[in-house]
């Protein structure tokens, strides 16, 4: 039987690959790694990277507590390629491959600061119960005109008509056609990388698009969202635009989300444990929803990981602000779409498009797991508009981070070292942001306080 190493070597030779991108998702969900000539990749053995790269802030800085989380020698991690993630890089000039790598300590243990390993541990807990989570992400993003000066506000790019969007154009076919060349190249790139993208729609914002993924294995879906974000940004560059996954990039436009649909199958039978044959919701399903309600306040900073994220989680802008659930109710945080029994699922509407997909999926699955293990009971399904109810989640990154260590069972599942490192990195980002004096403060406070 062929080993993964042999299969990778044969694939690289078959596709005449000249260079390999060795990728590792960092805390932000962006790609870190190395470019290695293919011949060297074939002969050198497992590559290495400093473990410090896993806990850099979004600005590339290090927390004051940095050395509490990594070895004082700034040790290396061992990277092991995952055959399932081997893909071409369709925008590269030379034949190039990309492979997502798993991170290990020198003693062979999974590295606790790897966000991919955080998700893998949660999936191992489900596997021990004979269960397989199935997820389907929906990812929103904006196309924006190139903006090289951060002091200027963003604006939509010009479409093929030569005009910028200004109206609300949800689900408009013609609005998508304004960016037809971008869309066609994006789909071509996705197809070359075997990304399981499904439908594309125009969202409510100006030049805001949404891609829905087909449902599938949780790790595979996280990998695909990771690759998809790179793909969209590269496609936009090709067409003289930027693509942004910021949660709230423009003041007068809605935010961008990464909604996560999730169901649960028995590994041995393929049965969806969330529904009886007659469509009745099972106790497991209700407890799963109760887990989402119970643990989201502690885990909100994994769904909303940046200072900008909380501009989206605000009243009256089509994002959840409390912990209600409901049947096909898009104003609730946890929506249960109508469908046949085998498709029974819940959609977590909290994660922003800026979330690390590995951490967002890990957080939602961990919440549901604990809800089922503890037999928690949810509230009654919400009727009417949930946005009229009180805010029940953090409104700033700092507040969300303060809740992160409130629950010992979550620390056991996600990892105490990882959560402490995550909080330190994100708190450092918050403090750096907080030092910036905004134009609003100068306008309204300069001469009036």
């Amino acid at each position: 039987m062929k080993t993964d190493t042999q299969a990778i070597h044969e694939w690289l030779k078959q596709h005449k690959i000249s260079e390999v991108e060795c990728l590792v998702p960092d805390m932000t969900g962006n790609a870190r790694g190395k470019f290695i000539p293919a011949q060297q990749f074939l002969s050198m053995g497992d590559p290495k990277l400093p473990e410090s790269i896993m806990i850099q802030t979004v600005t590339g800085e290090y927390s004051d507590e940095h050395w509490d989380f990594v070895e004082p020698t700034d040790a290396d991690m061992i990277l092991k390629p995952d055959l399932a993630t081997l893909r071409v890089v369709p925008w590269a000039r030379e034949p190039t491959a990309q492979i997502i790598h798993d991170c290990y300590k020198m003693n062979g243990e999974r590295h606790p600061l790897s966000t991919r390993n955080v998700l893998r541990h949660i999936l191992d807990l489900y596997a021990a119960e004979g269960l397989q989570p199935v997820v389907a992400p929906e990812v929103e993003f904006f196309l924006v005109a190139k903006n090289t000066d951060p002091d200027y506000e963003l604006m939509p790019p010009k479409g093929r008509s030569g005009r910028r969007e200004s109206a609300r154009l949800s689900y408009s076919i013609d609005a998508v056609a304004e960016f037809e060349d971008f869309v066609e190249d994006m789909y071509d790139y996705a197809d070359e990388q075997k990304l399981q993208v499904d439908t594309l729609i125009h969202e409510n914002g100006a030049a805001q698009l949404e891609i829905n993924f087909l449902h599938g294995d949780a790790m595979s879906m996280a990998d695909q969202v990771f690759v998809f974000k790179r793909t969209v940004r590269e496609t936009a560059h090709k067409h003289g635009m930027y693509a942004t996954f910021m949660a709230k990039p423009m003041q007068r436009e809605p935010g961008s989300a990464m909604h996560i649909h999730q169901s649960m199958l028995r590994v041995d039978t393929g049965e969806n444990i969330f529904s009886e044959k007659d469509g009745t919701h099972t106790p497991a399903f209700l407890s799963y929803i109760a887990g989402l309600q119970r643990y989201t306040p502690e885990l909100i900073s994994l769904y909303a990981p940046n200072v900008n994220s909380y501009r989206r989680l605000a009243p009256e802008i089509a994002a959840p602000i409390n912990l209600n659930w409901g049947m096909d109710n898009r104003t609730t945080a946890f929506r249960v779409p109508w469908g046949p029994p085998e498709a029974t699922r819940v959609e977590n509407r909290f994660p922003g498009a800026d979330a690390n997909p590995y951490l967002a999926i890990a957080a939602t699955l961990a919440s549901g797991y604990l809800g089922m293990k503890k037999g928690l009971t949810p509230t009654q399904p919400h009727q009417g508009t949930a946005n009229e109810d009180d805010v029940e989640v953090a409104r700033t990154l700092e507040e969300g981070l303060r809740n992160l260590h409130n629950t010992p069972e979550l620390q056991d599942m996600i990892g105490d070292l990882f959560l402490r490192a995550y909080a330190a990195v994100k708190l450092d980002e918050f403090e750096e942001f907080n030092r910036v004096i905004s134009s609003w403060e100068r306008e309204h406070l300069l001469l009036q306080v």
Side-chain angles (χ1 to χ4, degrees), residues 144-149 154-155 157 164 236-242:
V144 296
K146 280 197 169 181
N147 181 305
T148 57
D149 188 336
L154 301 174
M155 65 176 62
R164 304 183 198 277
H237 283 310
K238 177 180 177 181
H239 291 275
M241 303 179 285
Y242 291 159

Side-chain angles (χ1 to χ4, degrees), residues 47 76 95 133 157 182 346 422 428:
D76 277 338
F182 164 85
V346 60
Y422 183 84
D428 198 71

